[in-house]
Amino acid sequence: MDMVTDFLETGVLPTVLLLVRASVPVLALYVVWRSYTSFKKGQRRRDPVVMLCDESSGLRFPVLYWENSIGRSKSCDICLPDATISRDHAVLMRREEGWVICDTGSHAGVQVNGKKVKGQKLLSIGDAVTLGDVTLTLWNADSPPEKRRRIFTGFSREAASPLKLMMTASLVHLLMALQACFIGGKAAPMQAVPTLIAMAIGWGLYVYSIGIQHRVSFEIETIAYLLSGIGITLLAACDIGAIKTQLAAMFIGVLLFCFLIWFMNDMDRVAKFRLYIGAGAILLFIINLVFGREQYGSKNWIFIGPVSVQPSELIKIAFIFVGTSTLDRLQTKKNITEFLVFTGVCMGFLVLMKDLGTAAIFFACFLIIAFMRSGSVRTIALVLTGAGLGVLLALQFMPHIVSRFQGWGHVWEHINDQMGYSQTRTLTYMASGGLFGVGLGDGMLAGSGVFAADSDLVFGLLCEEQGLLLGLVVLMAIAMFTIYARSDVTRSRSTFFSIGACAVAGMLLFQTCLNVFGATDILPMTGVTLPFISAGGSSMMSVWGLMAFLKASDERTYAARRASKNSSRPAAARPGRNTGEFTPSRPSRTAERDTGYTPRPAPRRKSGAGKRYASPPARHSSPKRPPPPPGDGGDMEDITSWR
């Protein structure tokens, strides 16, 4: 203790803390960048697994995805421009038991080997599928040509080690905790305890995922862990006594993350429970409306003793789950109606609760899900027009929202009244932080009496105490979820995961924009939180639960397990081309391809119908090959092990 006192009296401490603050954004940026390059490197090549062959014309249609839409529409994965085929005729899906064809309410129906399909039908290699006047045969795909490995891969082409990324993120947290131990120039080692607990939770997730589940990717969890630790350390420096709720919420959120990944692994279970989850969400809204307490103009809080819960945050998970599972496969009229009704009910409850900020987030998520399914700009424009009229009508009954719009863009004219007091102080203290901040706990915003400085205006607090650079890195990390979702949208094993990942990424990005732009007076204040950073246990649990949708869209772990199975199988026992499994000349190439360490494939083509047809097969690769025994699913691996 005497040594610490002597060190504090030397006057070297401010310089050391400045160097520490300057190192934090650099290390955080490294974690974000290496996570990005790692998952970009880990993308698998889109090689066809099976093919649909038109025996009459000799045309082949490669099957590239886990779920493939078939129909006359140009937006279908397999476009068949025939008048007897409906626009959205059928879906070819890859399930645990094999390849399944599903009729989506077409006029002509679907026949397999001359028998009409009711609902869905399990296919075998060599089965003839008739859609209208077109008959397609399911065959195994030819072995793709080997690609030469690049001699120079470069820094950004090397996959990052999950352990190194976690250690670097932990170093960021330790450096921030070191700052917290010297608030005001006085030693306070207890300030580091919340950070250490958050680190223990993150490393527990790492051991479970990498050590027990043997997952090969950890980028999503690393970024979420990095942001959670930054938020907890920042809030602990303001009020260490109130950080218990945030830590408990992080722990529960991690458990929820693990549970949802397991739950969504079974698509049949997803379809079975979607109605129950939707009903549970509506029940939560009713309980909130009846027993909720109105605060700050919104009735979105339920108090259970000393604990407060915001149900709308948890309903975000249910909304995406119900929306994506309802629209799984194809958008029939029934499914569209179900989703529209559920969305309307949720929006109605949020309006009654006077929570327009959360309502805007729900609506943005609805637009993403609806657009990914329909692709109709006209429909989206009509929905936006109707929503705009609804907002104008709702503003007539919400004076506190009207006051926010009145002060928007004029906060400096109301520096001493309610319209501009909080935002003007936030902007002033943000500017005083500079690039590297004034230090944890040494800022003025937390103790200035500014309302919601640790929640709605937490971005200003972050920039003041840790600097603008770290604030920008945090925004970049949240934006990385969007890039991640976009890259995985065509590689997931189901549209449920693809749409869910994009909906989550869009929701988080939109929520971040509302929070940051509201704090900086670019947009009116909406009262929404900054993901992972703002104080609020419900928000922390919600964002960790939403991470499960992003993680579930990643199939690299499954691909690695498939590669391990293929490489461990004796060469003589490996099936050849007639069984549909690829048999490259060098087994190591199989592992390289299946784990995804190849250049990024070309994007999915969305052009005219003529380009949907593949070129005629070469003479040496005729589709008329002897099929495997009945019941064989071709290159169908054990997907029960997928995580």
PDB file of all heavy atoms in Angstrom, residues 238-257:
ATOM      1  N   CYS A 238     -19.282   4.910 -12.799  1.00  0.00           N
ATOM      2  CA  CYS A 238     -20.265   5.922 -12.408  1.00  0.00           C
ATOM      3  C   CYS A 238     -20.952   5.587 -11.093  1.00  0.00           C
ATOM      4  O   CYS A 238     -21.118   6.437 -10.227  1.00  0.00           O
ATOM      5  CB  CYS A 238     -21.306   6.098 -13.523  1.00  0.00           C
ATOM      6  SG  CYS A 238     -20.629   6.633 -15.097  1.00  0.00           S
ATOM      7  N   ASP A 239     -21.384   4.322 -10.968  1.00  0.00           N
ATOM      8  CA  ASP A 239     -22.091   3.893  -9.765  1.00  0.00           C
ATOM      9  C   ASP A 239     -21.865   2.403  -9.585  1.00  0.00           C
ATOM     10  O   ASP A 239     -22.565   1.578 -10.174  1.00  0.00           O
ATOM     11  CB  ASP A 239     -23.576   4.211  -9.865  1.00  0.00           C
ATOM     12  CG  ASP A 239     -24.341   3.901  -8.573  1.00  0.00           C
ATOM     13  OD1 ASP A 239     -23.694   3.552  -7.563  1.00  0.00           O
ATOM     14  OD2 ASP A 239     -25.582   4.030  -8.583  1.00  0.00           O
ATOM     15  N   ILE A 240     -20.862   2.048  -8.785  1.00  0.00           N
ATOM     16  CA  ILE A 240     -20.534   0.641  -8.604  1.00  0.00           C
ATOM     17  C   ILE A 240     -21.621  -0.119  -7.848  1.00  0.00           C
ATOM     18  O   ILE A 240     -21.775  -1.321  -7.998  1.00  0.00           O
ATOM     19  CB  ILE A 240     -19.176   0.492  -7.887  1.00  0.00           C
ATOM     20  CG1 ILE A 240     -18.674  -0.954  -7.969  1.00  0.00           C
ATOM     21  CG2 ILE A 240     -19.272   0.961  -6.428  1.00  0.00           C
ATOM     22  CD1 ILE A 240     -17.259  -1.125  -7.470  1.00  0.00           C
ATOM     23  N   GLY A 241     -22.406   0.568  -7.057  1.00  0.00           N
ATOM     24  CA  GLY A 241     -23.457  -0.102  -6.313  1.00  0.00           C
ATOM     25  C   GLY A 241     -24.609  -0.578  -7.171  1.00  0.00           C
ATOM     26  O   GLY A 241     -25.317  -1.521  -6.804  1.00  0.00           O
ATOM     27  N   ALA A 242     -24.844   0.069  -8.324  1.00  0.00           N
ATOM     28  CA  ALA A 242     -25.954  -0.300  -9.200  1.00  0.00           C
ATOM     29  C   ALA A 242     -25.554  -1.248 -10.308  1.00  0.00           C
ATOM     30  O   ALA A 242     -26.365  -1.517 -11.205  1.00  0.00           O
ATOM     31  CB  ALA A 242     -26.579   0.961  -9.809  1.00  0.00           C
ATOM     32  N   ILE A 243     -24.330  -1.777 -10.284  1.00  0.00           N
ATOM     33  CA  ILE A 243     -23.851  -2.607 -11.380  1.00  0.00           C
ATOM     34  C   ILE A 243     -24.244  -4.073 -11.202  1.00  0.00           C
ATOM     35  O   ILE A 243     -24.074  -4.874 -12.137  1.00  0.00           O
ATOM     36  CB  ILE A 243     -22.310  -2.469 -11.508  1.00  0.00           C
ATOM     37  CG1 ILE A 243     -21.860  -2.799 -12.945  1.00  0.00           C
ATOM     38  CG2 ILE A 243     -21.611  -3.365 -10.491  1.00  0.00           C
ATOM     39  CD1 ILE A 243     -22.386  -1.866 -13.978  1.00  0.00           C
ATOM     40  N   LYS A 244     -24.760  -4.433 -10.025  1.00  0.00           N
ATOM     41  CA  LYS A 244     -25.140  -5.824  -9.798  1.00  0.00           C
ATOM     42  C   LYS A 244     -26.198  -6.287 -10.790  1.00  0.00           C
ATOM     43  O   LYS A 244     -26.142  -7.410 -11.302  1.00  0.00           O
ATOM     44  CB  LYS A 244     -25.641  -6.007  -8.361  1.00  0.00           C
ATOM     45  CG  LYS A 244     -24.595  -5.721  -7.291  1.00  0.00           C
ATOM     46  CD  LYS A 244     -25.184  -5.909  -5.906  1.00  0.00           C
ATOM     47  CE  LYS A 244     -24.150  -5.595  -4.819  1.00  0.00           C
ATOM     48  NZ  LYS A 244     -24.731  -5.741  -3.454  1.00  0.00           N
ATOM     49  N   THR A 245     -27.170  -5.427 -11.066  1.00  0.00           N
ATOM     50  CA  THR A 245     -28.227  -5.778 -12.015  1.00  0.00           C
ATOM     51  C   THR A 245     -27.662  -6.033 -13.403  1.00  0.00           C
ATOM     52  O   THR A 245     -28.062  -6.971 -14.100  1.00  0.00           O
ATOM     53  CB  THR A 245     -29.284  -4.661 -12.079  1.00  0.00           C
ATOM     54  OG1 THR A 245     -29.823  -4.457 -10.771  1.00  0.00           O
ATOM     55  CG2 THR A 245     -30.399  -5.026 -13.037  1.00  0.00           C
ATOM     56  N   GLN A 246     -26.730  -5.212 -13.837  1.00  0.00           N
ATOM     57  CA  GLN A 246     -26.134  -5.353 -15.156  1.00  0.00           C
ATOM     58  C   GLN A 246     -25.349  -6.656 -15.280  1.00  0.00           C
ATOM     59  O   GLN A 246     -25.408  -7.348 -16.300  1.00  0.00           O
ATOM     60  CB  GLN A 246     -25.238  -4.155 -15.446  1.00  0.00           C
ATOM     61  CG  GLN A 246     -25.020  -3.868 -16.918  1.00  0.00           C
ATOM     62  CD  GLN A 246     -26.197  -3.217 -17.587  1.00  0.00           C
ATOM     63  OE1 GLN A 246     -27.241  -3.009 -16.975  1.00  0.00           O
ATOM     64  NE2 GLN A 246     -26.062  -2.905 -18.856  1.00  0.00           N
ATOM     65  N   LEU A 247     -24.609  -7.013 -14.229  1.00  0.00           N
ATOM     66  CA  LEU A 247     -23.855  -8.264 -14.254  1.00  0.00           C
ATOM     67  C   LEU A 247     -24.782  -9.478 -14.263  1.00  0.00           C
ATOM     68  O   LEU A 247     -24.554 -10.446 -15.003  1.00  0.00           O
ATOM     69  CB  LEU A 247     -22.917  -8.322 -13.054  1.00  0.00           C
ATOM     70  CG  LEU A 247     -21.712  -7.371 -13.086  1.00  0.00           C
ATOM     71  CD1 LEU A 247     -21.008  -7.373 -11.739  1.00  0.00           C
ATOM     72  CD2 LEU A 247     -20.747  -7.770 -14.195  1.00  0.00           C
ATOM     73  N   ALA A 248     -25.828  -9.423 -13.437  1.00  0.00           N
ATOM     74  CA  ALA A 248     -26.792 -10.525 -13.427  1.00  0.00           C
ATOM     75  C   ALA A 248     -27.475 -10.660 -14.776  1.00  0.00           C
ATOM     76  O   ALA A 248     -27.709 -11.776 -15.265  1.00  0.00           O
ATOM     77  CB  ALA A 248     -27.821 -10.301 -12.321  1.00  0.00           C
ATOM     78  N   ALA A 249     -27.791  -9.525 -15.405  1.00  0.00           N
ATOM     79  CA  ALA A 249     -28.436  -9.558 -16.727  1.00  0.00           C
ATOM     80  C   ALA A 249     -27.502 -10.139 -17.773  1.00  0.00           C
ATOM     81  O   ALA A 249     -27.942 -10.873 -18.665  1.00  0.00           O
ATOM     82  CB  ALA A 249     -28.884  -8.158 -17.118  1.00  0.00           C
ATOM     83  N   MET A 250     -26.214  -9.830 -17.706  1.00  0.00           N
ATOM     84  CA  MET A 250     -25.262 -10.403 -18.650  1.00  0.00           C
ATOM     85  C   MET A 250     -25.185 -11.916 -18.492  1.00  0.00           C
ATOM     86  O   MET A 250     -25.162 -12.653 -19.482  1.00  0.00           O
ATOM     87  CB  MET A 250     -23.879  -9.780 -18.455  1.00  0.00           C
ATOM     88  CG  MET A 250     -22.827 -10.333 -19.400  1.00  0.00           C
ATOM     89  SD  MET A 250     -21.189  -9.617 -19.105  1.00  0.00           S
ATOM     90  CE  MET A 250     -20.222 -10.567 -20.294  1.00  0.00           C
ATOM     91  N   PHE A 251     -25.152 -12.388 -17.248  1.00  0.00           N
ATOM     92  CA  PHE A 251     -25.097 -13.832 -16.995  1.00  0.00           C
ATOM     93  C   PHE A 251     -26.350 -14.531 -17.532  1.00  0.00           C
ATOM     94  O   PHE A 251     -26.259 -15.559 -18.219  1.00  0.00           O
ATOM     95  CB  PHE A 251     -24.935 -14.089 -15.497  1.00  0.00           C
ATOM     96  CG  PHE A 251     -24.911 -15.546 -15.133  1.00  0.00           C
ATOM     97  CD1 PHE A 251     -23.814 -16.326 -15.426  1.00  0.00           C
ATOM     98  CD2 PHE A 251     -25.997 -16.132 -14.501  1.00  0.00           C
ATOM     99  CE1 PHE A 251     -23.795 -17.681 -15.093  1.00  0.00           C
ATOM    100  CE2 PHE A 251     -25.984 -17.475 -14.169  1.00  0.00           C
ATOM    101  CZ  PHE A 251     -24.876 -18.248 -14.459  1.00  0.00           C
ATOM    102  N   ILE A 252     -27.520 -13.967 -17.242  1.00  0.00           N
ATOM    103  CA  ILE A 252     -28.769 -14.551 -17.748  1.00  0.00           C
ATOM    104  C   ILE A 252     -28.823 -14.469 -19.270  1.00  0.00           C
ATOM    105  O   ILE A 252     -29.291 -15.392 -19.941  1.00  0.00           O
ATOM    106  CB  ILE A 252     -29.980 -13.845 -17.112  1.00  0.00           C
ATOM    107  CG1 ILE A 252     -29.981 -14.057 -15.593  1.00  0.00           C
ATOM    108  CG2 ILE A 252     -31.281 -14.349 -17.711  1.00  0.00           C
ATOM    109  CD1 ILE A 252     -31.048 -13.259 -14.873  1.00  0.00           C
ATOM    110  N   GLY A 253     -28.334 -13.365 -19.828  1.00  0.00           N
ATOM    111  CA  GLY A 253     -28.321 -13.223 -21.276  1.00  0.00           C
ATOM    112  C   GLY A 253     -27.457 -14.260 -21.956  1.00  0.00           C
ATOM    113  O   GLY A 253     -27.821 -14.794 -23.017  1.00  0.00           O
ATOM    114  N   VAL A 254     -26.293 -14.579 -21.379  1.00  0.00           N
ATOM    115  CA  VAL A 254     -25.431 -15.619 -21.940  1.00  0.00           C
ATOM    116  C   VAL A 254     -26.113 -16.975 -21.887  1.00  0.00           C
ATOM    117  O   VAL A 254     -26.043 -17.764 -22.842  1.00  0.00           O
ATOM    118  CB  VAL A 254     -24.082 -15.632 -21.208  1.00  0.00           C
ATOM    119  CG1 VAL A 254     -23.269 -16.859 -21.598  1.00  0.00           C
ATOM    120  CG2 VAL A 254     -23.289 -14.367 -21.520  1.00  0.00           C
ATOM    121  N   LEU A 255     -26.781 -17.277 -20.763  1.00  0.00           N
ATOM    122  CA  LEU A 255     -27.536 -18.528 -20.678  1.00  0.00           C
ATOM    123  C   LEU A 255     -28.654 -18.569 -21.719  1.00  0.00           C
ATOM    124  O   LEU A 255     -28.895 -19.614 -22.346  1.00  0.00           O
ATOM    125  CB  LEU A 255     -28.117 -18.691 -19.268  1.00  0.00           C
ATOM    126  CG  LEU A 255     -27.123 -18.863 -18.114  1.00  0.00           C
ATOM    127  CD1 LEU A 255     -27.877 -19.006 -16.794  1.00  0.00           C
ATOM    128  CD2 LEU A 255     -26.234 -20.067 -18.345  1.00  0.00           C
ATOM    129  N   LEU A 256     -29.337 -17.447 -21.903  1.00  0.00           N
ATOM    130  CA  LEU A 256     -30.388 -17.370 -22.912  1.00  0.00           C
ATOM    131  C   LEU A 256     -29.815 -17.569 -24.310  1.00  0.00           C
ATOM    132  O   LEU A 256     -30.422 -18.230 -25.160  1.00  0.00           O
ATOM    133  CB  LEU A 256     -31.100 -16.017 -22.811  1.00  0.00           C
ATOM    134  CG  LEU A 256     -32.274 -15.773 -23.768  1.00  0.00           C
ATOM    135  CD1 LEU A 256     -33.396 -16.766 -23.523  1.00  0.00           C
ATOM    136  CD2 LEU A 256     -32.788 -14.338 -23.613  1.00  0.00           C
ATOM    137  N   PHE A 257     -28.650 -17.014 -24.568  1.00  0.00           N
ATOM    138  CA  PHE A 257     -27.954 -17.188 -25.840  1.00  0.00           C
ATOM    139  C   PHE A 257     -27.698 -18.667 -26.130  1.00  0.00           C
ATOM    140  O   PHE A 257     -27.988 -19.162 -27.223  1.00  0.00           O
ATOM    141  CB  PHE A 257     -26.650 -16.390 -25.807  1.00  0.00           C
ATOM    142  CG  PHE A 257     -25.714 -16.654 -26.941  1.00  0.00           C
ATOM    143  CD1 PHE A 257     -25.891 -16.035 -28.162  1.00  0.00           C
ATOM    144  CD2 PHE A 257     -24.634 -17.513 -26.774  1.00  0.00           C
ATOM    145  CE1 PHE A 257     -25.011 -16.272 -29.206  1.00  0.00           C
ATOM    146  CE2 PHE A 257     -23.755 -17.748 -27.820  1.00  0.00           C
ATOM    147  CZ  PHE A 257     -23.941 -17.138 -29.026  1.00  0.00           C
TER     148      PHE A 257
END
